[in-house]
Amino acid sequence: MYLGCGEPGPCADDPAWRALVRGEHGDPFALLGPHEDANGHCQVTVLAPHARRVWLVDAADRTLARQATPFAAAGLFRAPWPEGTRRAYRVCMEGPHGVDEQADPYAFGLLLKESDLTAMAAGDGAIWRRQLGARVMTLSGIEGVRFAVWAPHARRVSVVGDFNGWDGRLHPMRRRHNGGVWELFLPCAKVGDRYKYELIGPDGQDLPLKADPMARRCEAPPATASIVTDIDHYDWQDEAWMARQARPARPSQPISIYEVHAPSWRHDAHGKILDWDGLREQLIPYVCQLGFTHIELLPVSEHPFGGSWGYQPLGLYAPTARLGSAQALMRFVDACHQAGIGVIVDWVSAHFPSDEHGLACFDGYELYEHADPREGMHRDWNTLIYNYGRPEVAAYLIGNALEWIERFHIDGLRVDAVASMLYRDYSRPDGEWIPNVHGGRENLEALAFIRTFNRTLAQKHPGVLRMAEESTAWPGVTRPPSRGGLGFSHKWNMGWMHDTLSYMRRDPAHRCHHHSEMSFGLVYAFSERFVLPLSHDEVVHGKGSLLGKMPGDAWQQAANLRAYLGFMWAHPGRKLLFMGGEFGQYREWDHDGQLDWPLLLHPLHAGLQRLVGDLNHTLRVTPALYRADQDAAGFRWSINDDAANSVFAFLRQDPRGGAPLLCITNFTPVPRHAYRVGVPEGGAWRECLNTDSAHYGGSNMGNGGSVRALEAPSHGLTCALELTLPPLATLWLQPVRAA
C-alpha cells in the first residue's frame, strides 16, 4: 500500500543516518519514506545527495506542498506530511540539471508475498521465474519497475542504472529475511533502462557490479548491463500447434532435426549475421524444403564469449542480443510453428563462466556454485558448477527451463553435458574430487535435480522434448524417475556416432576388418530412446567436416557420405544433422564465418542436398521408419555378417501392419550383382531410394526402379530379392501392395 506511516526512525545523530548516506545501510525502509515522529506526526525522509532543494507535492492536489529541510547528514531531507492522511505524494528534487519529480520508492509496502518467498526458498521454479528480476508493473496507479534479486549473504543491495546515474547510494533495496530476497519498486525506471545490482558482501567489501541473473534482456557483448524490458504481450498465432503440443509426446511421430548455430548459418549481403527476422525469412523456408521436422538451435541465452557458441551462458533468461530482441525470437518460433516445424534449444545447466559481472560469488559468497573447487569447477572449460543441492539454485534452473517453454513456446530442450553432471570425478584425476556421502562417484544432488527437472516438465508440458547429451553408459537415461531412471524423453547416441564415423573414415578396403563398428549399435539400440547425432561437435577442433572425413576422391567422398546418410536415416533412432552436412560442406565449421553456400553450384553438393530432402520426405510418409523406432519388434537384421563384402541389410517393420522397408548398403566401391537378400513377402518391391541415383550425383546404377521377389527362402525369411548393389550406396525398397 502506498504511503504508510511507520515507526519513527533513529534519532538525528544516530550513525545509521551516516551509513545510509554512505550507501552502507542494509535496511533503508527503516529510515527513508514516511514515518511517525515521537509526537505521532508523519515525517517523510528523502535521500537526495545531488539535490539543492527538495519538497513534497500531493499527487492529486498540487496546491498541497511541503518544503523539505536538510536533516542529520549531507544529502538527507525531511518534510512533514499532513497528520493522519493517506494521501499519496510525489518528491520534487531540484538539482544541477533542473527539477526531477517522481513517486517515492520508499513509500511502498512489501512487494513479494511471504508464501512466494517460502516457495522460492523451497525450490519452486515456476514462482522463481515469475517473481524475480525486473518486472514492469503498475502499483497503486503508479507505473514503474519492480526489482527483486536473491542475495542472502549481502549486507546491502542497491539497484543502479541509467535512472539514477549508477549511484548505489540512491536506491538501496529492502531485504526480505524469508528467503534472502531483496526488493524495490522504482517509479523512475522504465523499459530500455540499463541496470545492475551493487552489493556489499558479508565482509563489508564492495563487490563488482552484478548483472541481473533473471534479466530478460542484456546489452550486446562486450557490454554487460541488464536492460529493463517488457515481453509479456506478444500476440502468438500458433494456437493450433500449441494445442497439439499440450498432449503427451507420441513416440510414433517422425523426428528429423536440423542443428543450427544461428550466427554462422548464413550472412547477409554486407557480411553481417542474420538476426531472428532474417532467419525467419530464410532459414524456415530452407528447412521446410529439406523436410526436417525440427530446428535445433545451439544455446541462444546471452553469453559473454562468442567462441563458446553459447555453451558458457551468463544470462540464462535473456536471448542473446547478437540476434535481436526477445520479441524477434518469438516471431521466429511462431513462424516455425505455423510452417509445421518444431524448435529445440540447447540448454546448459552443467556449468557457467566465472566473469565477475555474473553469478560467481554473487553476494560475496559461493551462492550458485560450490565453495570447494574439487566439486565446483570444470577444469576442461574453466567454468563453475551449479550447486544442485541448493533448492534456490534448482529453482533458478528449472524456472529457466519453464521460461523457454512457456514464454518462447520452445518445443524441446537438449540438455548439454549431462555426463559432467552425473559424475563427481568427471575429467578429474584422483585426489581432485570429493566422493558423495556414500563414498561413490555419482553426483547425488545432480541426479535429484535432473529427476525433478524432468518430472516438472513432463507434468506441466508433457509434449515437450527433453533430450540428454549423455556420453556414458548410465542406465535408464530415458526411463521415468518413478522406475529409477533420469526421465529424459531422448538420449543422444554418442556411441553409435563414434563407431560409425570411425568406420566411415576407413579405406573401404579395410572396412571388412571393422564390420562390427556399423552393427554394434543395434545391440543396445532399444535400451533407450535414442537420437542419432551428427552434430557440431564432430566438425570442429581439427576433426574436419563430415564430407572431409570420407575417404577417396571427391566423387567417392560424396558417395560414401550419401551411403552413410541413407544407412543412418533407415537405422532405428531419431535423426540429427548439423548445418552444412546436408550439402557436403568441405571446410571445418567456422563459428565466425558462414556456410559455403556457393558449393551448391556443384552437382555433387546439390545432389547431396537433394538426397537429404528425399530422406526426410520419405521418412515422414513411411511408418515403418518411425512407428516402432524404440521397439526391437520394428527391426530385423537380414544380413549383418557379410564382412567380406562390407554389406549390411535390415528390415524396418510397421507394428500396425504397414509395408516394411528393406535397407541394404554396400560400403565398398565394388558393384555387387545378383546379390540375394531375404524379404518377408513376395511380389514386386519398389526401389524407393537409391543414393547412387544420378539425381544425387551418383553413377545411376540400380534395379530399374523395382524388382520381383523370388519364392525362395533366404536369411530366415520366406522370399528373396536378387539385387544389383551400386558402389558405395544405400538402397531402400518396399513391397508394392494392392490398394
Side-chain angles (χ1 to χ4, degrees):
M1 181 178 293
Y2 189 72
L3 188 59
C5 292
E7 296 297 322
C11 62
D13 59 354
D14 194 295
W17 294 110
R18 293 189 292 275
L20 181 69
V21 170
R22 291 195 303 267
E24 298 172 355
H25 199 284
D27 188 11
F29 279 82
L31 305 178
L32 297 176
H35 294 276
E36 288 184 357
D37 63 17
N39 299 316
H41 299 141
C42 187
Q43 303 281 340
V44 175
T45 305
V46 176
L47 176 59
H50 305 296
R52 291 194 293 259
R53 189 165 67 96
V54 175
W55 65 98
L56 309 181
V57 297
D58 187 274
D61 179 6
R62 300 187 66 82
T63 64
L64 176 59
R66 293 291 185 271
Q67 184 70 35
T69 57
F71 170 77
L76 284 171
F77 296 83
R78 174 168 284 182
W81 197 240
E83 181 179 359
T85 70
R86 309 296 294 177
R87 302 174 71 96
Y89 64 91
R90 296 178 67 82
V91 179
C92 299
M93 295 170 283
E94 182 183 358
H97 304 294
V99 175
D100 180 33
E101 179 181 321
Q102 59 184 254
D104 186 356
Y106 299 96
F108 292 89
L110 299 179
L111 303 176
L112 299 175
K113 296 178 181 178
E114 287 293 331
S115 58
D116 285 347
L117 293 171
T118 300
M120 285 189 281
D124 190 324
I127 298 294
W128 190 277
R129 68 172 282 262
R130 286 200 297 268
Q131 299 300 344
L132 296 185
R135 312 292 291 187
V136 178
M137 60 177 55
T138 300
L139 293 181
S140 301
I142 297 171
E143 296 179 353
V145 180
R146 187 194 71 193
F147 295 90
V149 63
W150 179 54
H153 304 102
R155 286 192 182 182
R156 189 269 286 158
V157 181
S158 290
V159 187
V160 296
D162 293 334
F163 38 78
N164 62 14
W166 298 84
D167 188 337
R169 297 174 297 171
L170 297 183
H171 292 126
M173 305 175 77
R174 174 197 283 122
R175 178 189 172 97
R176 302 295 298 276
H177 290 278
N178 181 5
V181 172
W182 300 73
E183 64 180 17
L184 188 66
F185 179 71
L186 283 185
C188 59
K190 62 185 183 304
V191 170
D193 284 342
R194 299 175 302 152
Y195 72 97
K196 285 187 176 181
Y197 295 113
E198 183 182 282
L199 299 91
I200 296 177
D203 59 359
Q205 297 298 309
D206 291 341
L207 300 176
L209 293 184
K210 293 290 188 177
D212 188 350
M214 303 293 294
R216 268 61 179 197
R217 181 183 172 194
C218 300
E219 284 188 291
T224 58
S226 306
I227 300 176
V228 176
T229 189
D230 186 2
I231 55 176
D232 289 333
H233 307 296
Y234 178 79
D235 184 17
W236 289 92
Q237 303 296 313
D238 62 349
E239 293 86 356
W241 176 275
M242 295 303 292
R244 291 193 298 271
Q245 292 301 95
R247 298 193 292 267
R250 291 170 291 171
S252 63
Q253 297 303 301
I255 294 178
S256 175
I257 303 165
Y258 187 59
E259 189 190 31
V260 175
H261 177 253
S264 61
W265 181 70
R266 177 176 279 164
H267 294 175
D268 65 18
H270 305 288
K272 296 182 179 180
I273 66 173
L274 297 177
D275 61 12
W276 289 120
D277 288 325
L279 291 164
R280 175 168 53 88
E281 295 170 358
Q282 297 189 40
L283 176 59
I284 295 174
Y286 182 78
V287 171
C288 286
Q289 174 190 347
L290 289 181
F292 287 98
T293 64
H294 291 74
I295 294 171
E296 180 171 325
L297 299 166
L298 271 61
V300 296
S301 292
E302 195 56 82
H303 50 284
F305 176 45
S308 76
W309 318 326
Y311 288 102
Q312 294 187 12
L314 266 187
L316 275 186
Y317 283 74
T320 177
R322 296 169 176 86
L323 295 167
S325 68
Q327 290 85 349
L329 174 56
M330 292 176 187
R331 289 193 294 271
F332 174 81
V333 175
D334 203 351
C336 283
H337 290 171
Q338 293 176 59
I341 299 170
V343 181
I344 300 167
V345 168
D346 279 15
W347 188 68
V348 185
S349 58
H351 60 129
F352 61 92
S354 58
D355 300 55
E356 68 174 13
H357 71 279
L359 302 180
C361 287
F362 186 80
D363 61 359
Y365 190 81
E366 290 80 5
L367 189 61
Y368 289 86
E369 71 273 33
H370 295 271
D372 192 326
R374 292 176 298 170
E375 57 182 345
M377 176 169 283
H378 278 308
R379 297 177 56 178
D380 289 355
W381 307 303
N382 194 31
T383 53
L384 301 174
I385 300 171
Y386 288 104
N387 184 352
Y388 304 107
R390 186 157 195 166
E392 297 93 339
V393 174
Y396 171 74
L397 292 169
I398 292 173
N400 181 250
L402 294 172
E403 179 86 357
W404 286 108
I405 295 164
E406 295 175 2
R407 186 181 300 281
F408 292 97
H409 290 198
I410 296 301
D411 303 288
L413 298 175
R414 175 267 197 186
V415 183
D416 179 63
V418 171
S420 75
M421 300 170 66
L422 294 174
Y423 301 98
R424 286 176 163 264
D425 64 345
Y426 181 86
S427 195
R428 296 175 185 272
D430 290 344
E432 295 191 18
W433 60 281
I434 299 176
N436 63 35
V437 293
H438 305 299
R441 59 195 287 252
E442 300 82 7
N443 189 329
L444 303 180
E445 295 79 11
L447 280 169
F449 163 75
I450 289 170
R451 288 170 174 148
T452 300
F453 162 85
N454 280 313
R455 273 195 300 265
T456 301
L457 267 59
Q459 290 168 2
K460 290 179 176 290
H461 304 284
V464 167
L465 301 170
R466 306 173 312 280
M467 297 178 168
E469 186 210 17
E470 203 287 301
S471 55
T472 73
W474 187 281
V477 172
T478 58
R479 196 162 57 232
S482 60
R483 294 169 46 208
L486 298 184
F488 287 99
S489 67
H490 294 82
K491 171 182 173 173
W492 275 24
N493 194 335
M494 312 296 282
W496 178 91
M497 178 270 297
H498 284 297
D499 288 348
T500 59
L501 282 180
S502 175
Y503 180 90
M504 293 307 301
R505 287 189 183 97
R506 301 184 188 281
D507 186 304
H510 302 147
R511 287 174 176 167
C512 60
H513 305 297
H514 304 276
H515 200 66
S516 64
E517 289 179 334
M518 292 301 280
S519 61
F520 182 68
L522 270 304
V523 172
Y524 59 87
F526 308 106
S527 62
E528 304 276 8
R529 291 188 295 274
F530 281 120
V531 173
L532 309 182
L534 295 179
S535 76
H536 64 280
D537 279 329
E538 308 318 311
V539 293
V540 290
H541 302 321
K543 297 178 185 176
S545 68
L546 198 58
L547 183 65
K549 301 180 196 302
M550 303 296 125
D553 58 23
W555 188 93
Q556 289 177 324
Q557 284 183 308
N560 270 294
L561 184 52
R562 292 194 304 267
Y564 180 42
L565 293 177
F567 178 89
M568 170 184 174
W569 251 252
H571 193 286
R574 307 321 199 182
K575 324 304 176 203
L576 180 142
L577 185 64
F578 184 58
M579 64 183 197
E582 78 277 13
F583 63 78
Q585 170 91 3
Y586 260 129
R587 290 186 303 119
E588 187 174 270
W589 172 48
D590 174 14
H591 68 269
D592 287 325
Q594 64 172 323
L595 299 182
D596 292 330
W597 296 103
L599 288 175
L600 286 169
L601 298 174
H602 192 287
L604 282 178
H605 297 276
L608 183 58
Q609 185 191 57
R610 284 192 290 271
L611 171 66
V612 171
D614 286 352
L615 289 171
N616 282 326
H617 291 298
T618 305
L619 170 68
R620 285 173 175 262
V621 299
T622 309
L625 288 174
Y626 62 81
R627 275 193 181 150
D629 213 30
Q630 282 93 35
D631 186 349
F635 177 88
R636 187 190 192 283
W637 278 115
S638 294
I639 299 171
N640 69 344
D641 58 355
D642 189 2
N645 292 312
S646 297
V647 171
F648 300 85
F650 56 83
L651 287 160
R652 297 300 308 278
Q653 300 170 134
D654 180 2
R656 301 183 192 175
L661 181 138
L662 172 70
C663 173
I664 183 165
T665 303
N666 174 16
F667 279 120
T668 70
V670 179
R672 312 288 175 191
H673 297 285
Y675 191 94
R676 180 170 288 199
V677 57
V679 291
E681 56 189 89
W685 283 65
R686 179 176 62 92
E687 192 176 77
C688 53
L689 186 129
N690 179 353
T691 67
D692 191 51
S693 167
H695 185 60
Y696 307 136
S699 64
N700 219 32
M701 183 180 292
N703 298 277
S706 68
V707 63
R708 196 159 193 86
L710 305 173
E711 299 293 334
S714 184
H715 302 108
L717 295 165
T718 57
C719 300
L721 300 177
E722 286 194 350
L723 300 170
T724 294
L725 305 186
L728 298 172
T730 293
L731 305 177
W732 290 1
L733 298 102
Q734 280 195 290
V736 179
R737 292 177 171 177

